[in-house]
Amino acid sequence: MTGAVEIHPSAIVHPGTVLGDGVKVLEHAVVGKQPTLSPRSTARREPLAPTVIGAGSIVSTGAIVFAGTTVGERVILGDQSCVRERVTIADDVVVGRGSLIENDTTIGALTRIQADAYITAYSTLEEQVFIAPCVVTTNDNWMGRTEKRLGNMKGPTIRRGARVGGGAVICPAIEIGEEAFVGAGAVVTKDVPPRKVVVGSPARVLRDVPADELLESA
Amino acid sequence: MTGAVEIHPSAIVHPGTVLGDGVKVLEHAVVGKQPTLSPRSTARREPLAPTVIGAGSIVSTGAIVFAGTTVGERVILGDQSCVRERVTIADDVVVGRGSLIENDTTIGALTRIQADAYITAYSTLEEQVFIAPCVVTTNDNWMGRTEKRLGNMKGPTIRRGARVGGGAVICPAIEIGEEAFVGAGAVVTKDVPPRKVVVGSPARVLRDVPADELLESA
Amino acid sequence: MTGAVEIHPSAIVHPGTVLGDGVKVLEHAVVGKQPTLSPRSTARREPLAPTVIGAGSIVSTGAIVFAGTTVGERVILGDQSCVRERVTIADDVVVGRGSLIENDTTIGALTRIQADAYITAYSTLEEQVFIAPCVVTTNDNWMGRTEKRLGNMKGPTIRRGARVGGGAVICPAIEIGEEAFVGAGAVVTKDVPPRKVVVGSPARVLRDVPADELLESA
């Protein structure tokens, strides 16, 4: 994993970006981008620290990483993915092709986010979480209305080892318990207890997660 | 918002494109693209007028805007988004990262389309609509079969101030009434009355939109 | 369809790629990319054959095609789409804007995959299949846990002429029968019989596909 940084000639790495040993930035990727906010955006406007990408990580083809974000070691940011500002990504994370990690989100070590997932702003994903393709998360029960929402926008908290199935939709501020399992296509409107399987729209508890699928045994 | 147009050296602006004062075209964006239709596509084939982008608008990193489309002032077309041909976008619209606006669609002023939404061809979104991330719209009940579909493909009509939640799926030709609210993950198979909240699969009316979330009070 | 290959100066075609007569590679596209796998990925690691793109096909703006993949004639790979390694795409296929075709997948002639669909690894789509926008497929009932999953990951088998509606979610290893029709937003947890319409979450059989929508009459 050590060795020279490789930046493809078609990639753009903005000044100030810190790239660890052996980082690769592939074709047409853009690293260190400053946000261009709408006049009406509720996102914060402080000056952003440089992007930091840890040793051995790869920013794949066409991916975008914003300023103010820190990426750990041996992370793969997939093709055409996008990681917004003030995100913290721990070591050994995979962000799948096309996925978007919105601002002010934290992602724990060894978590795998598969392709085309949407991780909303102000989310917490702990370690060894599995997010299947096309998962949708949300953070705003008021969808852009009322003043009270401004202090209350909150994404999901997805605890250690939880797994969320393809195309599942998670309502705002939901907690998905440790090692819980959300079935494909579920619409999660209530917190999910640890080590339970939920399915359906709205999602209901179906059974316990089988013992042989828990992290200790897998 | 006035001032010089800024086009990143890696962006491509096709000849004939009209860019207003202060327009920014960011890294790897492509503006003024001519469609390359399939031999079997049912889209129209007239020559397309140049793309027009209004003053103060931003075409973000990796975004694509087709010829024949007009974008208003102070619009943000997000990173990796795509706006097809013959689309009309009014002032102060936001198109989120990764979203696709298909051909022959109209979007009213101050409407916000969040990330990774899919707005099908022949859609109408009025003013101050809110489209949450990963919303899916559709326009073809026949999914590519029968001759009769050709005159009958129709996207949604989403009235002023309506809000559609994350990951919701809207069936073809649906009307979503003024200030209506579609819950996250809903599958909308019937028209939604004005100022009603609908949820579920298939979506059913749950209650009225709270008064403090209506545009007049928000 | 015959004639000179056209490669936009901003596109990147990796050495060894075979492009048929009249192939067009548009702005910022990347063809012949080698995978950069995670140390923990379960994908195979053999050396990959060059990408082959058949006569008259188009690799659109910002699209990515991996090495080890063969694309037929008159195929359109849409803007910002991505086709992974060891995929076989027959003639006259359309892959819509933003869609992802994962590794080791086979797609039959005249199949149309619309925008932003997700076709998982180890999928089979036969001829004249119609995949509506934002369809989600899955291949791993264990979501990254247990050793037994490694030989058992399997995407859908979608038979000739089947149609899958917008935003539908297909569970792992599902077979969708010939000319079947999956409604928009359905969550398909069981095999779908030929020429049946299924809708809902979980999807249930609603009726037969109307005779005038079958391939013989359409």
Side-chain angles (χ1 to χ4, degrees):
Chain A
M1 284 301 182
T2 59
V5 167
E6 296 178 26
I7 301 173
H8 191 274
S10 66
I12 295 166
V13 178
H14 287 278
T17 301
V18 178
L19 302 178
D21 279 358
V23 165
K24 294 183 187 173
V25 182
L26 304 187
E27 304 96 327
H28 303 134
V30 176
V31 183
K33 175 183 163 89
Q34 293 285 333
T36 46
L37 295 175
S38 153
R40 288 171 308 285
S41 171
T42 58
R44 288 190 282 149
R45 293 170 189 280
E46 293 97 90
L48 291 173
T51 308
V52 177
I53 310 276
S57 291
I58 299 171
V59 182
S60 302
T61 305
I64 303 173
V65 188
F66 277 71
T69 278
T70 300
V71 174
E73 302 191 352
R74 297 170 305 278
V75 168
I76 296 185
L77 304 179
D79 298 319
Q80 301 163 323
S81 66
C82 181
V83 181
R84 292 293 309 239
E85 61 274 20
R86 292 184 303 276
V87 170
T88 303
I89 297 179
D91 295 343
D92 300 300
V93 165
V94 176
V95 174
R97 176 270 180 186
S99 287
L100 171 57
I101 314 298
E102 291 272 28
N103 52 286
D104 298 284
T105 284
T106 300
I107 299 178
L110 289 161
T111 283
R112 285 178 286 168
I113 297 169
Q114 303 236 309
D116 295 350
Y118 175 73
I119 307 300
T120 189
Y122 313 105
S123 296
T124 301
L125 279 62
E126 294 187 346
E127 307 78 40
Q128 292 180 278
V129 164
F130 184 97
I131 304 289
C134 309
V135 165
V136 179
T137 61
T138 60
N139 67 8
D140 180 2
N141 274 313
W142 301 271
M143 288 206 277
R145 297 282 167 78
T146 78
E147 291 299 313
K148 72 185 171 195
R149 89 179 192 284
L150 294 177
N152 286 296
M153 286 167 62
K154 186 162 164 45
T157 300
I158 306 183
R159 296 294 181 198
R160 172 176 174 276
R163 295 174 286 168
V164 182
V169 176
I170 314 295
C171 286
I174 291 288
E175 175 162 335
I176 298 179
E178 267 203 27
E179 302 251 30
F181 182 110
V182 175
V187 178
V188 181
T189 60
K190 292 190 296 195
D191 290 351
V192 178
R195 282 169 287 281
K196 293 292 179 188
V197 173
V198 302
V199 299
S201 172
R204 303 161 313 274
V205 173
L206 180 69
R207 54 177 172 84
D208 289 348
V209 171
D212 70 343
E213 296 186 17
L214 296 176
L215 284 174
E216 297 78 62
S217 46
Chain B
M1 286 299 183
T2 59
V5 167
E6 295 178 26
I7 301 173
H8 192 275
S10 66
I12 296 166
V13 177
H14 285 278
T17 301
V18 179
L19 302 178
D21 279 358
V23 164
K24 294 182 187 172
V25 182
L26 304 187
E27 303 96 330
H28 302 133
V30 175
V31 183
K33 176 183 162 88
Q34 295 284 334
T36 45
L37 295 175
S38 152
R40 288 170 308 286
S41 170
T42 59
R44 289 188 281 149
R45 293 170 189 280
E46 291 98 274
L48 291 172
T51 308
V52 178
I53 310 275
S57 291
I58 299 171
V59 182
S60 302
T61 304
I64 303 173
V65 187
F66 277 71
T69 278
T70 299
V71 173
E73 302 191 351
R74 297 171 303 281
V75 168
I76 296 185
L77 304 179
D79 298 318
Q80 301 162 324
S81 66
C82 182
V83 180
R84 294 292 310 239
E85 62 272 20
R86 292 184 303 275
V87 170
T88 303
I89 297 180
D91 295 343
D92 300 300
V93 165
V94 176
V95 174
R97 175 270 179 186
S99 287
L100 171 57
I101 314 297
E102 291 273 27
N103 53 286
D104 299 284
T105 283
T106 301
I107 299 178
L110 290 161
T111 283
R112 283 178 286 168
I113 297 168
Q114 304 236 309
D116 296 348
Y118 175 72
I119 307 299
T120 189
Y122 312 105
S123 296
T124 301
L125 280 62
E126 294 188 347
E127 306 79 40
Q128 293 181 275
V129 164
F130 184 97
I131 303 291
C134 309
V135 165
V136 178
T137 61
T138 60
N139 68 6
D140 180 2
N141 274 313
W142 300 271
M143 289 206 276
R145 298 281 167 77
T146 78
E147 290 300 312
K148 70 184 173 196
R149 87 179 195 283
L150 293 177
N152 286 297
M153 286 169 62
K154 186 163 165 43
T157 300
I158 306 184
R159 296 293 181 197
R160 172 176 173 276
R163 294 174 286 168
V164 182
V169 176
I170 314 295
C171 286
I174 291 288
E175 175 161 336
I176 298 179
E178 268 204 27
E179 303 252 29
F181 182 110
V182 175
V187 178
V188 181
T189 59
K190 293 189 297 195
D191 290 351
V192 178
R195 282 169 289 279
K196 294 292 181 188
V197 173
V198 302
V199 299
S201 172
R204 305 160 313 272
V205 173
L206 181 69
R207 54 179 173 83
D208 288 348
V209 171
D212 71 342
E213 294 186 18
L214 297 175
L215 283 174
E216 297 79 62
S217 47
Chain C
M1 285 299 183
T2 60
V5 167
E6 296 178 27
I7 301 174
H8 192 275
S10 66
I12 296 166
V13 178
H14 286 278
T17 302
V18 178
L19 303 178
D21 278 357
V23 165
K24 294 181 187 173
V25 182
L26 304 187
E27 303 97 327
H28 303 134
V30 175
V31 183
K33 176 184 163 89
Q34 293 285 335
T36 46
L37 293 175
S38 153
R40 288 172 308 286
S41 172
T42 59
R44 287 188 282 148
R45 294 169 188 278
E46 292 96 273
L48 291 172
T51 308
V52 177
I53 310 274
S57 291
I58 299 171
V59 182
S60 302
T61 305
I64 302 172
V65 187
F66 277 71
T69 278
T70 299
V71 173
E73 303 193 351
R74 297 171 304 280
V75 168
I76 296 185
L77 304 179
D79 298 318
Q80 301 162 325
S81 66
C82 181
V83 180
R84 293 293 309 239
E85 62 273 19
R86 292 183 303 274
V87 170
T88 303
I89 298 180
D91 295 343
D92 300 300
V93 165
V94 177
V95 174
R97 175 269 179 188
S99 287
L100 171 57
I101 314 299
E102 291 273 27
N103 52 286
D104 298 283
T105 284
T106 301
I107 300 178
L110 289 162
T111 282
R112 284 178 286 168
I113 297 168
Q114 303 236 309
D116 296 349
Y118 175 73
I119 307 300
T120 190
Y122 312 104
S123 295
T124 301
L125 280 62
E126 294 186 348
E127 307 78 40
Q128 293 181 279
V129 164
F130 184 98
I131 304 290
C134 309
V135 165
V136 178
T137 60
T138 60
N139 67 6
D140 180 3
N141 273 314
W142 300 270
M143 289 206 277
R145 296 281 167 78
T146 77
E147 291 299 313
K148 71 184 172 197
R149 87 181 194 284
L150 294 177
N152 286 295
M153 286 168 62
K154 185 163 165 45
T157 300
I158 306 184
R159 295 292 181 202
R160 172 177 173 275
R163 294 174 286 167
V164 182
V169 176
I170 314 296
C171 286
I174 292 288
E175 175 161 335
I176 298 179
E178 268 204 27
E179 302 252 29
F181 182 110
V182 175
V187 177
V188 181
T189 59
K190 292 190 294 195
D191 289 351
V192 178
R195 281 169 289 281
K196 293 292 180 186
V197 174
V198 302
V199 300
S201 172
R204 304 162 312 272
V205 173
L206 181 69
R207 55 178 172 82
D208 289 349
V209 171
D212 71 342
E213 296 186 17
L214 296 176
L215 283 173
E216 299 78 62
S217 47

